[in-house]
């Protein structure tokens, strides 16, 4: 019925008699490119256009969108920045004319990449949206092009990655879409963004830098507060070095398993999922794991999704040591400087200790330091400006050095990668919506990072309102959901019964286009005992709690739990948003 209504609305200008084959041609795409001057500073390159129709394409087993079959027109073309002899390569997938629903979806990348290639484009096409991605003008992978030489930053690539690459892809894409489908000025083109990790950070960059361009943004587990976030990958290694103990992977894995076992029931449902890591933090004593026996088979890949066994570990067994627990406890505390002041946040109990992975030395039979590569590359390349992808040692790297690295990255990249501008008034006033989510057992970007940004925005934007009133006001346009048991932008093999929010774009469309506020977030069990079943996720600051022996689901307000997510970054003199 909705389809018919939409078509009727458009029929004043188009009957959409055209088929995919009719419109998916190079000449038609060339004719639809944004005109000269339509997007300030950019000129399209018509000679670069490619267009090809694809039929009966399908996706299955994805976490960010459901299974679907669809046709699309695959288009690529390039543009250049006026006054700079560069080339930026764009890719758009356009739904068949009869399936187009006046929507555009921008997508982002991961790690140091601005794009996930075409991986996320189906998530738009299946909802009648033109979906786009960009190489940012630097080939897509920032780290490899970041230095033009030792000491010389490639600022164009940096700023493209930071925000303008995706911003331009969206502005060009919107103009192109309107032309391609012959939309009139009366037809609204609903514009969305979806991405996770770096793609989540990029989503926040669009909220902050392009507040008028989007109707809805879905930043998943965002890598914001970049200066802290990237250096934080080294914190676990610095803990090991400081305490002088390098735990075998198997020992840390045992501690994680014991944590899950002990904290599972605190949420009221015994399902192997720790939906309340805050109650775990308040009630579980890691020291109780000392003496538990562990045993792991030899592995070149552990195969259980914990991020361990990347290198070949021999079979190992033993008992959890006081030293191992001390390392785990210190990691979970988060970085504090030598005066005990907080400098950053850590992962929640039940998250795997991926950053802490050690390397087995077969010559000595000992486990040794294995510098977490994302963190190491950040220090060498982005802080020391040396063209290498690894840090060779952590000699003399103390908690204070790590804190100083965090502050240096924050200051140097404050306006481009930090991505924590907390006044989102312009976006809110333009009617934009934000649906953000974060795995509660994320081992790569601390879950508390998303909570802290929510709190920064709340306190900056609603200083005159009390807590509950400001949460209510914010809920009209910005909502945060934690995903029980989930890992980093992914489900979690060791908490396989947890749900995952797979239909976020559908939920966002309903919110933006139909005014349906997602009181709870729609999710699905993608594996485990209840595979295929629906689940709902609570909106922060409400927390999940099952009653009636795990049969009744509630979202409750629990002050002591909420307080565990409240951080005071007193190691810095400037507020850390
Ligand atoms: C478009 O840009 C990409 C990336 O720079 C380049 O590889 C390609 O050759 C360009 N296409 C044309 C036709 O210029
Ligand atoms: C797509 O699949 C449908 C149903 O299986 C089939 O009828 C149709 O011919 C296919 N189209 C193309 C272009 O392959
Ligand atoms: C960049 O600096 C590193 C560290 O000083 C040095 O090893 C490397 O040779 C330098 N590279 C070039 C191309 O000068
Ligand atoms: C847009 O209009 C042009 C010119 O009338 C036509 O050739 C084309 O098929 C139309 N496109 C769509 C998607 O209907
Ligand atoms: C941890 O639990 C997983 C199953 O969830 C199991 O495969 C693995 O062997 C356990 N590891 C240890 C060290 O107990
Ligand atoms: C755990 O054990 C360590 C070392 O004995 C001790 O310092 C720490 O206070 C204990 N933690 C708790 C919560 O008892
Ligand atoms: C524990 O490891 C030792 C050698 O390191 C081995 O002899 C023993 O069989 C292992 N025990 C178990 C239960 O795996
Ligand atoms: C470290 O970086 C250098 C420079 O890029 C490279 O030659 C070397 O292979 C890297 N080492 C490792 C262990 O990746
Ligand atoms: C580490 O610090 C010690 C003491 O200040 C100094 O002697 C040594 O040279 C430093 N090592 C490195 C690799 O910087
Ligand atoms: C909610 O998720 C269920 C599967 O769990 C799905 O069938 C339904 O379409 C989703 N609702 C929305 C609004 O996407
Ligand atoms: C609670 O639920 C579990 C799992 O469904 C079941 O095994 C157990 O018997 C129930 N306990 C009570 C008291 O009903
Ligand atoms: C967080 O803690 C600080 C310091 O204890 C307190 O002033 C503030 O009110 C707390 N914030 C919230 C939202 O509870
Ligand atoms: Ca549970």
């Amino acid at each position: 019925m909705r389809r018919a209504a939409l078509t009727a609305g458009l029929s004043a200008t188009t009957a959409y008699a055209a088929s995919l084959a009719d419109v998916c041609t190079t000449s038609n795409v060339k004719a639809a490119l944004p005109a000269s001057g339509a997007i300030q500073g950019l000129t399209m390159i018509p000679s670069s256009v490619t267009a090809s129709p694809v039929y009966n394409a399908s996706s299955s087993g994805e976490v960010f969108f459901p299974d679907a079959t669809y046709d699309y027109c695959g288009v690529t073309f390039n543009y250049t920045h006026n006054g700079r002899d560069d080339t930026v390569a764009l890719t758009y997938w356009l739904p068949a004319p009869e399936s187009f629903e006046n929507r555009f979806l921008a997508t982002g990348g991961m790690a140091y990449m601005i794009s996930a290639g075409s991986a996320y484009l189906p998530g738009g096409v299946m909802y009648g949206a033109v979906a786009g991605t960009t190489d940012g003008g630097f080939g897509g992978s920032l780290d490899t092009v970041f230095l033009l030489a030792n000491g010389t930053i490639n600022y164009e690539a940096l700023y493209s990655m930071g925000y303008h690459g995706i911003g331009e892809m969206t502005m060009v894409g919107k103009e192109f879409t309107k032309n391609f489908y012959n939309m009139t000025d009366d037809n609204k083109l609903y514009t969305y963004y979806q991405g996770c990790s770096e793609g989540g950070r990029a989503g926040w960059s669009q909220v902050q830098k392009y507040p008028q361009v989007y109707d809805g943004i879905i930043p998943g587990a965002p890598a914001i507060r970049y200066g802290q976030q990237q250096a934080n990958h080294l914190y676990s290694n610095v803990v090991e070095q400081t305490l002088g103990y390098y735990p075998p992977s198997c020992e840390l894995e045992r501690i994680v398993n014991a944590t899950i076992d002990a904290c599972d029931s605190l949420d009221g449902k015994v399902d192997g999922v720790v939906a309340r890591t805050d109650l775990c933090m308040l009630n579980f004593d890691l020291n109780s794991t000392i003496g538990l026996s562990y045993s792991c088979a030899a592995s070149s890949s552990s195969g259980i999704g914990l991020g361990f066994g990347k290198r070949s570990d021999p079979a190992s067994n033993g008992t959890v040591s006081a030293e191992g627990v001390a390392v785990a406890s210190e990691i979970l505390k988060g970085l504090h400087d030598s005066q005990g002041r907080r400098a950053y946040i850590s992962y929640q109990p039940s998250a795997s200790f991926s950053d802490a992975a050690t390397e087995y030395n077969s010559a000595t039979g000992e486990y040794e330091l294995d510098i977490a590569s994302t963190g190491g590359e950040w220090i060498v390349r982005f802080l020391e400006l040396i063209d290498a992808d690894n840090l060779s040692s952590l000699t003399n790297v103390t908690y204070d050095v790590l804190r100083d690295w965090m502050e240096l990255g924050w200051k140097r990249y404050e306006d481009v990668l930090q991505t924590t501008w907390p006044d989102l008034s312009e976006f809110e006033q333009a009617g934009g919506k934000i649906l953000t989510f974060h795995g509660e057992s994320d081992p790569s970007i601390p879950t508390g990072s998303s909570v802290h940004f929510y709190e920064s925005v709340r306190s900056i934007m609603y200083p005159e309102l009390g807590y509950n009133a400001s949460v209510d006001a914010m809920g009209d346009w910005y909502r945060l959901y934690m995903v029980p048991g989930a890992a980093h932008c992914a489900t979690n093999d060791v908490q396989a019964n947890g749900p995952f929010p797979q239909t976020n774009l559908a939920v966002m469309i309903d919110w933006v286009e139909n005014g349906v506020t997602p009181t709870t977030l729609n999710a699905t069990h993608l594996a485990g005992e209840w595979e295929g079943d629906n689940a709902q996720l609570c909106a922060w600051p409400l927390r999940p709690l099952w009653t009636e022996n795990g049969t009744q689901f509630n979202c409750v307000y629990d002050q002591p739990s909420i307080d565990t997510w409240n951080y005071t970054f007193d190691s810095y003199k400037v507020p850390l948003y």
Side-chain angles (χ1 to χ4, degrees), residues 140-378:
S141 221
L142 178 67
D143 53 344
T144 54
V145 300
F146 177 71
L147 291 174
L148 298 170
N150 281 347
T152 305
I153 293 176
N154 182 347
Y155 281 101
E156 281 316 315
L158 171 64
Y159 277 79
S160 178
M161 178 82 170
Y163 56 90
H164 77 66
I166 288 176
E168 289 167 5
M169 182 272 288
T170 303
M171 293 185 291
V172 170
K174 289 177 73 168
E175 197 64 21
F176 169 55
T177 299
K178 289 179 190 168
N179 294 342
F180 186 87
Y181 293 98
N182 299 322
M183 292 176 70
T184 65
D185 290 345
D186 301 340
N187 299 138
K188 176 163 171 67
L189 177 61
Y190 292 102
T191 303
Y192 302 99
Y193 175 91
Q194 186 170 25
C196 208
S197 194
E198 160 56 23
R201 186 206 62 77
W204 276 118
S205 80
Q206 302 304 289
V207 173
Q208 294 161 20
K209 304 284 190 178
Y210 297 97
Q212 313 283 342
V213 169
Y214 300 85
D215 298 292
I217 295 204
I218 306 168
I224 53 166
R225 219 169 292 106
Y226 213 78
Q228 279 74 20
Q229 166 57 32
Q230 295 302 75
N232 199 48
H233 279 298
L234 293 177
Y235 173 57
S236 301
N237 293 150
V238 176
V239 167
E240 290 166 339
Q241 171 170 283
T242 304
L243 300 185
Y245 181 70
Y246 299 91
S249 299
C250 191
E251 183 178 13
L252 288 177
E253 201 177 298
R254 185 70 186 90
I255 292 172
V256 169
N257 282 0
T259 303
I260 294 170
D261 288 348
C263 294
D264 178 2
S265 65
L266 298 176
D267 56 30
K269 180 169 183 163
V270 179
D271 55 0
V273 177
V274 183
R276 291 295 295 280
T277 58
D278 40 28
L279 289 175
C280 190
M281 198 179 276
L282 290 170
N283 293 293
F284 177 59
D285 182 358
L286 271 182
N287 284 353
S288 67
T289 66
I290 296 171
L292 291 178
S293 62
Y294 63 80
S295 163
C296 292
S299 67
S300 46
S301 77
S302 73
I304 55 162
L306 286 181
F308 294 133
K310 285 175 296 184
R311 303 165 189 280
S312 44
D313 280 350
S316 64
N317 61 51
T319 53
V320 172
S321 64
E323 292 83 355
V325 168
V327 164
S329 303
E330 190 77 355
I331 291 173
L332 292 182
K333 246 177 70 187
L335 177 63
H336 289 68
D337 64 22
S338 56
Q339 296 183 55
R341 298 172 304 198
R342 182 181 285 279
Y344 209 49
I345 309 167
S346 191
Y347 312 116
Q348 293 298 110
S350 77
S352 75
F353 291 99
S354 322
D355 284 347
T358 50
E359 183 170 18
Y360 181 70
N361 181 332
S362 54
T364 62
E366 303 282 329
Y367 289 84
E368 297 177 345
L369 177 68
D370 176 15
I371 299 175
S373 57
T374 315
E377 179 173 15
W378 171 252

Side-chain angles (χ1 to χ4, degrees), residues 478-501:
Y478 169 3
R479 304 178 72 85
L480 164 65
Y481 309 84
M482 261 96 96
V483 188
H488 184 55
C489 297
T491 55
N492 184 350
D493 291 354
V494 292
Q495 297 185 56
N497 283 333
F500 202 84

Side-chain angles (χ1 to χ4, degrees), residues 364-549:
T364 62
E366 303 282 329
Y367 289 84
E368 297 177 345
L369 177 68
D370 176 15
I371 299 175
S373 57
T374 315
E377 179 173 15
W378 171 252
I379 305 306
V380 170
R381 200 164 244 155
F382 292 79
L383 299 187
E384 294 176 349
L385 305 184
I386 293 167
D387 199 8
D389 66 5
N390 53 75
L391 187 61
S392 55
S393 106
L394 286 181
T395 305
N396 291 350
V397 177
T398 59
Y399 295 146
D400 286 342
V401 169
L402 194 54
R403 175 255 177 231
D404 289 351
W405 276 342
M406 287 184 177
E407 192 178 58
L408 173 62
W410 171 16
K411 284 160 73 175
R412 186 179 294 166
Y413 302 108
E414 162 101 69
D415 69 334
V416 57
L417 292 174
Q418 189 73 1
T419 329
T420 47
W421 188 264
D423 178 6
L424 310 179
S425 303
E426 268 190 90
F427 183 83
E428 185 261 329
Q429 278 155 26
K433 310 279 189 233
I434 298 159
L435 186 168
T436 181
F437 65 95
H438 208 128
E440 186 133 350
S441 300
D442 190 320
S444 183
I445 297 180
T447 314
S449 167
S450 282
V451 175
H452 184 64
F453 190 61
Y454 177 98
E455 179 55 22
S456 297
V457 173
R458 189 194 66 78
S459 57
I460 290 286
M461 286 184 63
Y462 300 101
E464 75 289 358
L465 294 184
Y467 186 79
N468 291 347
S470 59
V471 164
D472 283 352
M474 206 140 100
D476 289 342
W477 61 278
Y478 169 3
R479 304 178 72 85
L480 164 65
Y481 309 84
M482 261 96 96
V483 188
H488 184 55
C489 297
T491 55
N492 184 350
D493 291 354
V494 292
Q495 297 185 56
N497 283 333
F500 202 84
Q502 194 193 31
T503 59
N504 289 336
L505 185 55
V507 170
M508 177 58 93
I509 286 170
D510 239 13
W511 194 9
V512 166
E513 299 179 22
N514 305 325
V516 180
T517 303
T519 308
T520 53
L521 181 60
N522 201 44
T524 308
H525 292 276
L526 298 177
E529 218 173 303
W530 298 285
E531 187 170 345
D533 286 2
N534 185 261
Q536 298 292 317
L537 311 183
C538 301
W540 175 261
L542 299 183
R543 305 263 53 220
L545 185 68
W546 297 83
T547 52
E548 315 302 323
N549 191 27

Side-chain angles (χ1 to χ4, degrees), residues 104-135:
F104 181 86
L105 176 71
T107 66
M110 59 195 66
Y112 286 113
M113 290 174 295
I114 194 172
S115 169
S118 59
Y120 299 153
L121 303 183
V125 172
M126 67 178 63
Y127 293 112
V130 172
T133 187
T134 178
D135 82 339

